[in-house]
């Protein structure tokens, strides 16, 4: 089992950047593939990015490809998402999640979730 805590959210102007962090507890953190999801008000939770347990493979939603970069540091039990060229459409609560499956893009495949961190992008 792993517990996840996100941080790094906030208010930023369009075109700006933020880096979200997700700290995991437990010695098995490095065995999980990790994902970032987001949920805007009135919308379903959607996939943002995922990274393999080793950090060697990543996947992105088309809407963030080229602007967001997911990474991880297993020595620190932390996964990151660097978000550049932010748009108002990126405004949402961002969640990190852990899975034993191979980088799925659907939320139901992830067993463990953080509490979320709010990202607001102003125009």
């Amino acid at each position: 089992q792993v517990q996840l805590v996100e941080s790094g959210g906030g208010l930023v102007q369009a075109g700006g950047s933020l880096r979200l962090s997700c700290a995991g507890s437990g010695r098995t953190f490095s065995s999980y593939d990790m994902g970032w999801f987001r949920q805007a008000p009135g919308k379903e939770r959607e996939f943002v990015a995922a990274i393999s347990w080793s950090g060697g493979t990543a996947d992105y939603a088309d809407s963030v490809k080229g602007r967001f970069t997911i990474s991880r540091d297993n020595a620190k039990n932390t996964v990151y998402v660097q978000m550049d060229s932010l748009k108002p459409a990126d405004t949402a609560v961002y969640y990190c999640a852990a899975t034993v499956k191979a980088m799925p893009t659907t939320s139901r495949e992830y067993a463990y979730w953080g509490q979320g961190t709010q990202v607001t992008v102003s125009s």
Side-chain angles (χ1 to χ4, degrees):
Q1 188 170 353
V2 61
Q3 294 181 328
L4 305 170
V5 179
E6 302 96 335
S7 61
L11 173 64
V12 64
Q13 289 187 331
S17 298
L18 281 175
R19 189 177 79 155
L20 305 183
S21 300
C22 172
S25 65
R27 292 183 291 179
T28 60
F29 178 84
S30 61
S31 66
Y32 292 95
D33 283 14
M34 298 295 295
W36 285 97
F37 288 76
R38 65 187 182 187
Q39 188 166 18
K43 295 188 176 181
E44 294 186 354
R45 191 168 297 189
E46 65 173 0
F47 170 75
V48 174
I51 191 166
S52 63
W53 64 270
S54 67
T57 306
D59 189 21
Y60 298 91
D62 288 343
S63 59
V64 306
K65 200 169 294 183
R67 300 188 298 120
F68 289 14
T69 303
I70 189 171
S71 62
R72 68 189 297 163
D73 184 341
N74 285 337
K76 295 182 178 180
N77 278 9
T78 303
V79 63
Y80 308 95
V81 60
Q82 175 68 40
M83 306 186 297
D84 299 320
S85 302
L86 282 162
K87 306 174 182 179
D90 295 317
T91 296
V93 177
Y94 283 72
Y95 300 88
C96 70
T99 181
V100 296
K101 301 190 178 181
M103 295 170 49
T105 60
T106 53
S107 60
R108 65 178 178 271
E109 303 291 354
Y110 288 78
Y112 305 105
W113 291 82
Q115 83 290 348
T117 185
Q118 176 71 47
V119 171
T120 303
V121 184
S122 63
S123 56

